[in-house]
Amino acid sequence: MTKRAAAWIAIALIAAGYATLILRNVSFAAGGPDESGYMNEARLLGSGRVRIPIAPLRTMRLDRSFADVFNPLGFVPGPRGTIVPAYPAGYPIHMTIAAAIGGWDRAPFFVAPLAAFGSIVLMFFVARRLGLSEWYAVGAAMILAAFPTFALQSLQVMSDVPATFWALLTIWLALRRNPIAAGVAFGVAVWVRPTNILLAIPLAIALRFDWRALLGALPLGALLLIFNAAMYGSPFTTGYGSVSLSLLAPCLGEHTIWLAKLLTPLIFPGGLLVMFDRRAENRALLPVWFAVFLIFYSLWTVCDAWWYTRFLLPAIPALILGTLMLTRGRPKIAFAVVLIVVVVCARQWETFHILRIDDDQVIYPRSIAAAEKVLPRNALVVSGLLSGAFMNYSGRFTARWDRLDADRFQLLRAYAGGANLKWYAVLSEVEVSQEEFRRRLPGKWTEVARYRNVVVYRLDS
């Protein structure tokens, strides 16, 4: 067997083994704020709708000033007493297609794992297009697969890994000098995550500024503008609203520290040193590919945990490839780098309980199921963290405790009484203290059910 054939077999086994591991541990729950948001949007798009009327406004004959109270996580207010999804539609469209093929029970949950499989394979092909040998390309794929953030996001209903897949496909097609196809992949990448528009810069470098990429990208861009106008009233508005950035780069330190810990300094900042390697034909591509994402997300204001490195996932391959390009011609050093990084990453899987993520996610559907057993048909439910999960699993609008104060609650109680609605609350003990909740919603709340740290209360007086 030739070395090339052995390398191809190795990448096939790695991708298949990784996919099997992920598929066996994937979470089939979509209850967290992001996860339920994506699933709710996918179901909405699958039904052919783009907005949902806020039913409690009609039931209690409320004016639209109360619309924000009944706005679940993952949605934003729409026109005329409706809500619309807050998240980009690209990933939910993937989920809707999967559901059309395999049904809603399981198929949408396989989109992220399959994108992980595809990303690993594409990592191999991008490495080859950059001139790395088959075994170096295998090593690059192994490091990406082992990266804890990549693995975690492969197991959940999240857009990070699909965004990475389309980024890799964009760059691979560009390196193959296929500008129109690269433009199409770029367009899909932006549909999945709007900040993937940052790929335009490395894409231009990879294509040597071939304008024909616009032929593939512009039609999808035009469709996105039309979609945004229909959803949010303006072609240039998304459900995220205005982006909160700080010129002080508050997340630069967090991202750099976590990347060095998760991938070792061999990958970050080591991979950036490829810019000084005169042997590398594309030595400008890789640092720019990573830098545009790091600079943008350094200006972000949310980065207080290791998993926020997920925002950088579409650019992480550039770091890995940069390090391995520096070790070309030194196979023993390359082998040592891959071994060290993979071992460090693998140990962190246990530290961060990555393969037990479903244990954290399953609390959402099981809490909703426990609550629905005791909720009467005329229940008006107060929630917060579980508001998106209620919409996903039971189709129920809930009143957000964080949108109420004592005066507004008393007014809403009067309207609810007129509609013969009974007050309940379903709250996680980690989202609000008892003191804060009772200050905002005063009354005699009695615990009637519980699942783990989620408690169901009934308002008795």
Side-chain angles (χ1 to χ4, degrees):
M1 181 183 298
T2 65
K3 291 183 178 179
R4 174 171 294 185
W8 279 91
I9 292 173
I11 191 62
L13 291 174
I14 290 168
Y18 187 81
T20 301
L21 179 67
I22 293 299
L23 291 175
R24 291 187 62 180
N25 292 279
V26 67
S27 172
F28 291 105
D34 291 330
E35 296 91 333
S36 64
Y38 285 120
M39 185 62 76
N40 282 322
E41 183 168 0
R43 292 184 186 278
L44 190 62
L45 294 173
S47 70
R49 296 179 294 163
V50 295
R51 56 180 63 95
I52 306 173
I54 303 175
L57 297 183
R58 183 179 64 253
T59 301
M60 290 184 277
R61 300 180 180 180
L62 295 166
D63 63 60
R64 293 173 188 169
S65 66
F66 281 94
D68 67 310
V69 173
F70 300 100
N71 187 49
L73 291 173
F75 288 85
V76 294
R80 298 181 297 279
T82 63
I83 55 173
V84 295
Y87 292 95
Y91 178 45
I93 290 173
H94 284 65
M95 297 167 68
T96 301
I97 294 171
I101 297 171
W104 286 102
D105 286 345
R106 283 286 190 266
F109 297 93
F110 291 121
V111 173
L114 290 175
F117 174 86
S119 296
I120 293 169
V121 174
L122 279 171
M123 188 69 168
F124 176 87
F125 285 120
V126 171
R128 293 289 293 128
R129 295 304 303 182
L130 289 171
L132 292 173
S133 71
E134 287 87 353
W135 283 109
Y136 276 69
V138 169
M142 289 177 63
I143 293 174
L144 178 64
F147 181 37
T149 308
F150 180 82
L152 179 68
Q153 301 311 118
S154 301
L155 294 168
Q156 303 180 78
V157 179
M158 296 288 280
S159 67
D160 305 279
V161 172
T164 304
F165 169 83
W166 286 104
L168 278 164
L169 184 59
T170 298
I171 299 299
W172 179 64
L173 290 169
L175 292 172
R176 283 177 56 87
R177 300 294 184 264
N178 195 333
I180 296 177
V184 172
F186 170 72
V188 177
V190 175
W191 267 84
V192 172
R193 175 170 290 171
T195 53
N196 269 350
I197 198 169
L198 298 169
L199 282 169
I201 300 174
L203 173 61
I205 294 173
L207 285 173
R208 298 177 183 176
F209 301 94
D210 190 332
W211 63 270
R212 289 177 298 172
L214 295 174
L215 297 176
L218 286 179
L220 286 169
L223 288 174
L224 182 58
L225 295 179
I226 294 170
F227 180 85
N228 286 342
M231 290 283 278
Y232 310 113
S234 169
F236 303 103
T237 301
T238 71
Y240 290 136
S242 59
V243 177
S244 178
L245 299 176
S246 172
L247 295 179
L248 298 177
C251 288
L252 179 60
E254 287 289 327
H255 285 320
T256 55
I257 290 170
W258 276 117
L259 286 177
K261 288 182 177 179
L262 295 170
L263 284 167
T264 80
L266 293 170
I267 304 298
F268 181 82
L272 296 176
L273 297 178
V274 72
M275 72 178 76
F276 303 111
D277 185 359
R278 295 183 178 180
R279 300 174 302 161
E281 181 181 351
N282 290 282
R283 62 176 177 159
L285 170 64
L286 300 177
V288 170
W289 179 3
F290 176 75
V292 291
F293 281 85
L294 179 63
I295 291 170
F296 179 82
Y297 282 110
S298 293
L299 306 179
W300 213 249
T301 56
V302 180
C303 53
D304 56 349
W306 70 272
W307 59 80
Y308 284 115
T309 53
R310 67 188 180 87
F311 295 140
L312 302 174
L313 266 180
I316 293 299
L319 287 176
I320 299 169
L321 293 165
T323 295
L324 290 180
M325 289 188 73
L326 287 170
T327 63
R328 284 178 303 165
R330 303 178 181 89
K332 291 183 179 179
I333 294 177
F335 177 80
V337 167
V338 172
L339 181 62
I340 291 170
V341 175
V342 168
V343 169
V344 169
C345 288
R347 293 186 65 180
Q348 292 174 105
W349 282 37
E350 179 61 28
T351 301
F352 297 126
H353 312 292
I354 286 173
L355 295 182
R356 296 196 292 275
I357 186 63
D358 187 54
D359 188 54
D360 296 328
Q361 293 293 318
V362 77
I363 190 171
Y364 293 99
R366 292 183 181 176
S367 296
I368 303 302
E372 290 292 348
K373 289 180 180 179
V374 300
L375 294 175
R377 296 183 63 183
N378 64 338
L380 176 56
V381 178
V382 176
S383 74
L385 186 62
L386 282 83
S387 58
F390 264 108
M391 178 63 68
N392 180 34
Y393 287 106
S394 69
R396 183 190 292 272
F397 277 93
T398 61
R400 294 268 298 274
W401 68 263
D402 55 322
R403 302 290 173 84
L404 292 169
D405 56 29
D407 293 337
R408 207 177 189 196
F409 175 57
Q410 293 303 329
L411 180 59
L412 196 57
R413 284 189 70 175
Y415 281 105
N420 193 34
L421 300 178
K422 305 298 181 183
W423 284 89
Y424 285 78
V426 183
L427 301 169
S428 168
E429 291 177 325
V430 303
E431 66 177 301
V432 60
S433 66
Q434 285 288 324
E435 293 76 16
E436 175 69 7
F437 176 69
R438 295 181 190 278
R439 182 183 69 80
R440 287 175 176 264
L441 288 82
K444 183 181 179 183
W445 293 91
T446 303
E447 180 178 331
V448 295
R450 169 187 289 265
Y451 178 77
R452 287 163 60 172
N453 66 356
V454 175
V455 184
V456 183
Y457 300 94
R458 182 183 64 235
L459 180 62
D460 291 328
S461 63

